[in-house]
Amino acid sequence: MEIATSFGTAADAYERARPGYPAAAIEWLLPRPGALVLDVGAGTGKLTAQLARAGHAVRAVDPDPTMLATLARRLPSVATSVGTAENLPVDDLSVDAVTFGQSWHWVDPTAASREAARVLRPGGRIGLFWNIRDETVPWVRELSGIMHSSAAERLLTEGMPEIGAPFRALAHATWEWTATLTIEGLMDLAASRSDVIAMHDDERERVLAEVGALGARVATADGDILMPYRTHAFRAMLA
């Protein structure tokens, strides 16, 4: 199974458990409504939905038809296309922004940058977004030890993401916030991760059981689990 296109096997868990993004992060990339945005690696539409709510016209692209089918059920007014960052299914000079929510770490940055530049209009921009759990919190660090680090977490630990010509240096901003999950939601979060999806069934069941036990330990009396996140956003303008 190709890891980058494995998420469709856990599309429902992905949709239930993955968080959205702070509205301020969307505004930081696109301060005025009305942009035509290509959301690449859109998955089930977490970022797509927020871009649409912010007043932008959005087209969603993903290599996994199962993920796009989930997106289409949630967002029937959004056009969808199967495609990759390295081969975008749109014309030259046709969009104002190209976005990647939790997906740039799966792409070839040189080819994806060149392709984004092809489809952007003059003055267009590229935006990269990641939600990363705050592992300075002890139980969150314990959770990461059970699930293992993701490709995105490893990339951001090493520094700034790579971007190619013709884009210049990336601007970077972060937001800290908290999501509320249930124990089942925490298990869905684990089940939607590429490394867990790729496990053998018995190993996956063991990991999910450990995640559920941890969730039961840290949940409030009301059954809520407060997950601290740090959202990283990066942007670059087309010269």
Side-chain angles (χ1 to χ4, degrees):
M1 179 187 300
E2 290 291 336
I3 294 294
T5 55
S6 65
F7 294 102
T9 62
D12 290 338
Y14 192 106
E15 172 55 28
R16 288 192 300 267
R18 292 296 183 106
Y21 302 87
I26 309 300
E27 186 176 356
W28 180 77
L29 175 67
L30 296 166
R32 291 180 295 277
L36 180 57
V37 184
L38 192 66
D39 188 27
V40 183
T44 63
K46 292 292 185 174
L47 180 57
T48 311
Q50 289 187 257
L51 288 163
R53 283 198 297 271
H56 305 294
V58 192
R59 180 172 176 178
V61 174
D62 198 273
D64 191 328
T66 304
M67 296 292 271
L68 286 178
T70 302
L71 184 153
R73 288 195 296 272
R74 291 184 60 231
L75 304 168
S77 64
V78 172
T80 63
S81 301
V82 174
T84 67
E86 299 82 3
N87 187 18
L88 296 173
V90 297
D91 295 335
D92 296 358
L93 307 173
S94 60
V95 299
D96 301 306
V98 181
T99 58
F100 296 81
Q102 307 288 134
S103 60
W104 185 256
H105 53 282
W106 295 119
V107 313
D108 175 335
T110 299
S113 298
R114 185 170 56 244
E115 185 69 346
R118 177 185 69 80
V119 304
L120 283 171
R121 296 166 178 159
R125 57 194 63 191
I126 188 169
L128 319 178
F129 298 87
W130 284 277
N131 288 317
I132 303 296
R133 298 180 314 281
D134 184 356
E135 294 183 352
T136 64
V137 178
W139 79 263
V140 179
R141 188 163 58 250
E142 183 179 351
L143 175 67
S144 296
I146 297 170
M147 301 189 303
H148 309 303
S149 295
S150 70
E153 290 154 356
R154 292 190 292 270
L155 180 149
L156 293 179
T157 297
E158 295 168 0
M160 296 281 281
E162 180 184 350
I163 194 164
F167 296 99
R168 299 175 181 173
L170 288 165
H172 180 208
T174 62
W175 293 263
E176 295 183 359
W177 59 285
T178 301
T180 302
L181 297 169
T182 62
I183 296 172
E184 293 76 14
L186 188 67
M187 294 173 69
D188 278 338
L189 182 67
S192 73
R193 289 167 64 86
S194 58
D195 288 346
V196 176
I197 293 170
M199 291 175 179
H200 293 295
D201 290 347
D202 55 348
E203 184 181 9
R204 186 183 309 110
E205 290 174 7
R206 176 188 60 76
V207 166
L208 295 181
E210 290 185 23
V211 169
L214 174 61
R217 262 191 6 246
V218 302
T220 67
D222 294 330
D224 292 335
I225 297 172
L226 303 179
M227 176 68 77
Y229 277 104
R230 182 175 290 112
T231 296
H232 292 263
F234 302 85
R235 71 183 180 200
M237 309 299 180
L238 187 63

